[in-house]
Amino acid sequence: MTLVAVVAVTVVFIAVAARLLSDHSASPALDTAQRDSNPAERELRSSLDCAFRPANHNSIYFYFDVVVNEGVEPRFFERAVMFGDGTRRAYEGDDRPVWDYAVDADGRATITSQNDATRILLYGLRMGLAGVWPVEAGIRSAVFFNLGGECRQANLVSARPTMASDQTMKSTPQ
C-alpha cells in the first residue's frame, strides 16, 4: 500500500469512529449526567427564534418572546429582527410589535406582523411542550419573498397546559 492510501484509510477510519462516538453515548448513565450538567431547559423563557436564508446568503432572523396562558391564544412579541448585512432592530417593553397568531384549516400555525405585510408559517409548532424544539418554517412577504427556514421554540407552556405535550396546536371552531 502506498503512503497516500494508508493516510486515506486512516482518515476515513477516524471520521467513522468520531461519527459513531458522537452519535452514541457509551452508557445511559453518561447520557443522563451530560443532560443534568446543561442549564435546565425549563428555565429558558418562552420564545420563538427563526432564521430564513435566501440564495444570496443575506439571512433574516426574527426573535419573539411568547406569552402562553391557559384558555387564550398565545401572543408573539417581536423582540428583534436582524438582517444579513448586520443591521438590527430591537424592541423592548411596550414597543414590541405583537404578531397575530392563527391556525388554518389544515392545522398550520401562522404568525402575522401588525401591518399584515409579513407572515411566518410554522410547520409543527408544538404548544404545551417544555424544552427546546426545532420547527420548520416559511416566511411570506413582499419584502422577504417566499423563503424556507427554521425556528427554535423554547418552553411554549403555560402554568397549567391545556393540551397534551405531543400535540400540534389546532384552532378551536368558532
Side-chain angles (χ1 to χ4, degrees):
M1 235 186 209
T2 67
L3 181 60
V4 173
V6 170
V7 170
V9 169
T10 304
V11 168
V12 169
F13 176 77
I14 291 171
V16 169
R19 173 79 177 174
L20 288 173
L21 290 174
S22 68
D23 285 348
H24 304 290
S25 132
S27 76
L30 280 177
D31 229 9
T32 303
Q34 288 172 348
R35 270 197 308 256
D36 291 343
S37 67
N38 292 331
E41 290 178 340
R42 288 187 174 271
E43 293 175 11
L44 296 173
R45 71 172 173 238
S46 296
S47 63
L48 182 74
D49 301 331
C50 301
F52 302 96
R53 292 179 183 85
N56 66 4
H57 304 290
N58 286 328
S59 300
I60 302 130
Y61 303 90
F62 285 89
Y63 303 91
F64 298 93
D65 290 326
V66 183
V67 175
V68 182
N69 290 315
E70 184 177 345
V72 296
E73 298 292 348
R75 296 182 50 110
F76 291 79
F77 294 91
E78 187 176 345
R79 188 170 65 248
V81 60
M82 188 168 64
F83 303 96
D85 65 2
T87 59
R88 176 186 174 110
R89 276 184 281 176
Y91 305 98
E92 294 182 24
D94 293 337
D95 293 333
R96 295 177 301 169
V98 179
W99 288 50
D100 293 326
Y101 174 83
V103 178
D104 68 14
D106 294 325
R108 289 183 300 235
T110 304
I111 56 175
T112 307
S113 64
Q114 287 179 325
N115 62 3
D116 291 328
T118 303
R119 291 181 305 128
I120 297 176
L121 298 114
L122 301 163
Y123 306 104
L125 183 69
R126 298 178 345 169
M127 302 303 293
L129 191 59
V132 178
W133 301 95
V135 177
E136 186 178 340
I139 192 167
R140 306 297 182 259
S141 166
V143 175
F144 305 118
F145 305 108
N146 296 331
L147 300 173
E150 64 276 336
C151 298
R152 179 195 74 133
Q153 74 173 61
N155 291 335
L156 296 186
V157 294
S158 65
R160 291 175 291 164
T162 59
M163 303 182 72
S165 63
D166 62 346
Q167 286 183 322
T168 299
M169 180 165 255
K170 305 260 187 209
S171 64
T172 54
Q174 297 182 7

